[in-house]
Structures are given as structure tokens and as C-alpha cells.
Amino acid sequence: EQPETASETVIAEPATSTVTEEVITENQLPGQTPKPMVLIEGPQLVNQGDEFTLSLHVYEMNSLFSAPLYVQYDPQLFEFIGAAEGTFLNQENASTVFTHTVLNPGGRIIIGLKQGTDGQGISGGGELFSMQFKAKAVGKAEIMPTRTNFRNVEGERVAVTSFGLMIEVAP
């Protein structure tokens, strides 16, 4: 039997970036300006001992030039393995600088990501970077972007709403 509305279809489908964009679009009120947001996407259930990848995506950006932030995680449950730059800020052949530093034992990663001096800023949405983790112990914890200090090409701060991802580690 076919669902009657698009929102029922979105709820019934598995979560993908396409579905996320549809949900975000549907949640905008008429006449309301979409708000910039950053969210972590990936599996919500992993097995102990498994390695898994999470992606940090941005949506509704306007001339994003730099995107430094922290990622907070539970070091008892997760081991950070590495991070790789995504494709959002280096569109249109823009040069970029990407760094990551792990603050142990606190379970925080400092991400530095910005366009080079020739950057003009990028608008829209896409993947800023991905992170690789290993599930060390059984439990449930959120991996969360914090202390975002996003700036546009003029150097003005861009207020963003951040969404983490709750991940359960099964035995």
C-alpha cells in the first residue's frame, strides 16, 4: 500500500542524506529563512570491535569560508582513528587547509578547516569532513560537534545549530 503523503514516505525510508534534506526542507515554515546547521551522520548501531565512519555535514550555509570546531566523544566507548577532509569547502578549485588534533584523555578532537587566501566562500550544503572511529566497549553515547566558530568570507561569525549522533555499541 502506498503512503498518502511525502512525509510518511520520508519516515518509512532508511535515513540517507537525501531524506535528511527532504526533512529539513519540509520543516521550513513559509517565509522563514532556513538556518545554517551542522550535523553528524552515520550508523546509530555498531558492534564492539568494529570500525565505522561518521560524516559531518553542513546545510544552508552562505559564503562559508572557515569552519573550525570541536568534536566531543566518549573515549571509554570510542577510539578515534582519523579524519579526512570532505568536498564542501574545496569546491570550485578552492585551496583549503585541514587539520585535526586529538585532545586525550578528554575525548575531544579539534578540527581546523578553512579555505586558502584565494577562497570566496561556499554556499549550500555538503560534507565538511569524515571521521573514523573504533567501537571499544558496549554502551551508548553521543558524538557531538561543539564550539563551532564558523566564519563567512567577510570574517563575520556564522551562527549554526549543531546536531550530534547517538550511537549504541552492541556486544
Side-chain angles (χ1 to χ4, degrees):
E1 185 175 340
Q2 288 286 64
E4 293 180 20
T5 66
S7 63
E8 289 176 1
T9 302
V10 171
I11 292 168
E13 292 178 0
T16 65
S17 60
T18 304
V19 172
T20 302
E21 290 177 48
E22 289 174 14
V23 171
I24 291 167
T25 304
E26 288 177 6
N27 289 336
Q28 300 302 329
L29 298 174
Q32 183 184 39
T33 303
K35 292 185 173 38
M37 66 178 81
V38 57
L39 58 102
I40 294 178
E41 297 178 359
Q44 295 178 316
L45 179 64
V46 295
N47 293 316
Q48 185 176 5
D50 284 356
E51 290 186 10
F52 60 98
T53 301
L54 302 177
S55 296
L56 191 126
H57 282 83
V58 292
Y59 296 95
E60 306 298 343
M61 291 293 145
N62 189 12
S63 297
L64 184 64
F65 178 78
S66 68
L69 60 104
Y70 282 52
V71 175
Q72 184 77 41
Y73 66 98
D74 184 340
Q76 301 298 317
L77 294 185
F78 307 112
E79 175 187 345
F80 175 74
I81 296 171
E85 183 178 2
T87 58
F88 182 69
L89 276 184
N90 59 17
Q91 295 176 58
E92 301 170 17
N93 297 322
S95 64
T96 56
V97 177
F98 176 75
T99 62
H100 66 278
T101 305
V102 179
L103 299 178
N104 282 326
R108 286 184 298 169
I109 308 157
I110 301 172
I111 301 290
L113 179 57
K114 68 178 186 172
Q115 290 188 319
T117 54
D118 61 338
Q120 300 298 308
I122 299 291
S123 297
E127 183 185 47
L128 280 183
F129 60 91
S130 62
M131 302 169 284
Q132 189 84 17
F133 286 92
K134 182 174 184 176
K136 293 177 14 179
V138 174
K140 190 173 188 175
E142 185 173 27
I143 297 180
M144 179 76 180
T146 64
R147 298 181 65 177
T148 56
N149 188 16
F150 290 14
R151 303 278 173 165
N152 64 20
V153 73
E154 289 84 28
E156 300 163 335
R157 189 160 185 154
V158 176
V160 295
T161 304
S162 298
F163 297 94
L165 182 66
M166 186 65 71
I167 301 173
E168 183 175 350
V169 180

